[in-house]
Amino acid sequence: MSIEINNVTKTWGDFVALDDVTVSLPTGQLTALLGPSGGGKSTLLRVIAGLETADTGTVSIEGVDATGLPAQKRNVGFVFQHYAVFKHMTVAKNVAFGLEIRKKPKEQVAARVEELLKLVHLSQFGHRLPAQLSGGQRQRMALARALAVEPSVLLLDEPFGALDAKVRKELRDWLRRLHDEVPVTTVFVTHDQEEAMEVADEIVVINEGRVEQVGTPDELYETPANDFVMSFLGDVTQIAGVSLRPHDVDVSTTPILAGSTEGTISRLLKVGFEVRLNVLTVAGDDVHVVLSRAEARSLDLREGSTVWVTAAPGAAVVPSMRFAG
């Protein structure tokens, strides 16, 4: 394992940012720390980087106990949401900065900068100032600068959060391709579920300072550990005390499905390919259902129709928080 976090706790006064966190982040993988704002993911990243000191617990990086090491001795690259570039330096000089302060030979610095600018598709912009770049280009420059010193770990704190949706989508696709070319162990913080699901090899879901679940995107989506993980990774509805995905609800116009619950379609909305239903059951649940137009058409569904709903075979189902305790 590349990064081992053991029993890490971090508080500010009465606020518990990290609550006895233990997690292993694999070597060479791209891992997302995913969770709501204020959940502790950025604090965990900063503890790994050495920018924050944990109250208790240990951090090991590539087999070395880094708990007491300052940030500059941990061999990590760090990219912030707002770039933190040197505005008076050219793009090339920004990328070269870490190498120059380490007093690397000029020829080696020049070769490394040229290699990285090519890697991040900024070769033609090396002479420009950061202000002359787009937001996406500045973020790619920041990534090149972090990679220049060949860190053992690359840490990204919501790297695309300040960009518009189209650029953010382009950059996360680019980051995935870049990681496949340069497989440095990478950990990035995001509250964007789609971003984590698209980019990461593994996701660590963090909420209220605790790790809720660790797994691949498929594992978390298909076998969520609890109602929070399920609801954070996609739309959720409830039937008879369990949570499940709206597209995992089977609908029938006759009570032939085992364990099905009777209800009435209170709303039917057609949105492109989908038909979205609200089914008010006799038990008082307002069940959200997503069907294809073909499925809805074959059942001849209309508002006011009586139907029976149940979880589809193989659906991910967890106890609903509404019924917990």
Side-chain angles (χ1 to χ4, degrees):
M1 289 296 176
S2 179
I3 305 172
E4 296 280 349
I5 296 104
N6 289 294
N7 307 113
V8 165
T9 296
K10 177 66 178 178
T11 60
W12 283 285
D14 294 334
F15 177 70
V16 180
L18 297 173
D19 185 6
D20 195 29
V21 170
T22 295
V23 66
S24 297
L25 308 179
T27 296
Q29 287 198 7
L30 203 163
T31 301
L33 304 182
L34 174 68
S37 296
K41 54 194 186 297
S42 289
T43 302
L44 180 58
L45 196 77
R46 293 176 68 84
V47 167
I48 295 169
L51 300 174
E52 298 286 355
T53 302
D55 300 333
T56 61
T58 61
V59 176
S60 174
I61 300 175
E62 296 288 356
V64 175
D65 185 357
T67 310
L69 292 179
Q72 61 269 29
K73 292 190 176 180
R74 296 195 180 195
N75 194 28
V76 300
F78 201 100
V79 177
F80 298 90
Q81 179 176 333
H82 294 288
Y83 325 124
V85 299
F86 299 112
K87 297 178 181 179
H88 65 288
M89 292 183 180
T90 65
V91 170
K93 276 290 189 181
N94 265 280
V95 175
F97 180 78
L99 297 168
E100 290 178 342
I101 64 172
R102 287 167 172 77
K103 301 189 185 305
K104 299 292 184 182
K106 287 185 178 181
E107 297 79 8
Q108 183 180 335
V109 172
R112 180 69 173 154
V113 169
E114 181 181 356
E115 174 191 359
L116 286 165
L117 289 180
K118 182 178 180 181
L119 185 67
V120 300
H121 307 133
L122 291 176
S123 295
Q124 68 273 40
F125 301 114
H127 63 285
R128 293 193 182 183
L129 293 172
Q132 297 172 298
L133 302 181
S134 68
Q137 290 169 338
R138 284 196 296 271
Q139 194 58 286
R140 296 207 306 270
M141 180 194 69
L143 283 162
R145 188 178 62 179
L147 289 168
V149 296
E150 299 182 1
S152 57
V153 174
L154 181 62
L155 306 176
L156 313 174
D157 191 4
E158 301 219 33
F160 311 137
L163 304 170
D164 66 55
K166 183 175 185 295
V167 175
R168 197 161 60 239
K169 174 72 168 67
E170 291 171 354
L171 272 183
R172 68 190 187 213
D173 292 345
W174 172 82
L175 177 63
R176 180 67 252 183
R177 293 194 302 271
L178 175 69
H179 184 268
D180 292 340
E181 292 180 38
V182 187
V184 60
T185 301
T186 302
V187 185
F188 75 101
V189 163
T190 183
H191 61 267
D192 185 322
Q193 300 90 331
E194 185 177 331
E195 186 169 278
M197 299 283 281
E198 279 192 16
V199 175
D201 299 307
E202 184 170 88
I203 299 173
V204 179
V205 180
I206 300 176
N207 180 44
E208 296 183 343
R210 295 183 296 272
V211 174
E212 298 280 355
Q213 189 174 358
V214 180
T216 66
D218 281 351
E219 287 169 348
L220 266 60
Y221 193 82
E222 294 176 3
T223 56
N226 53 45
D227 194 56
F228 173 81
V229 175
M230 171 174 269
S231 62
F232 199 74
L233 289 176
D235 293 335
V236 170
T237 192
Q238 285 85 29
I239 303 177
V242 298
S243 295
L244 71 165
R245 310 279 181 205
H247 61 256
D248 278 337
V249 178
D250 271 349
V251 179
S252 173
T253 53
T254 55
I256 58 174
L257 299 172
S260 61
T261 301
E262 183 181 350
T264 302
I265 298 176
S266 60
R267 186 167 183 259
L268 185 152
L269 180 65
K270 297 177 180 178
V271 182
F273 167 79
E274 295 179 348
V275 175
R276 302 172 187 174
L277 309 177
N278 284 66
V279 177
L280 186 60
T281 72
V282 293
D285 289 324
D286 184 9
V287 182
H288 301 274
V289 185
V290 175
L291 303 172
S292 70
R293 281 185 179 248
E295 290 173 312
R297 193 181 306 120
S298 68
L299 293 168
D300 192 26
L301 299 179
R302 293 179 172 82
E303 289 186 2
S305 296
T306 297
V307 293
W308 282 261
V309 292
T310 189
V317 174
V318 299
S320 170
M321 286 191 290
R322 292 190 311 166
F323 296 87

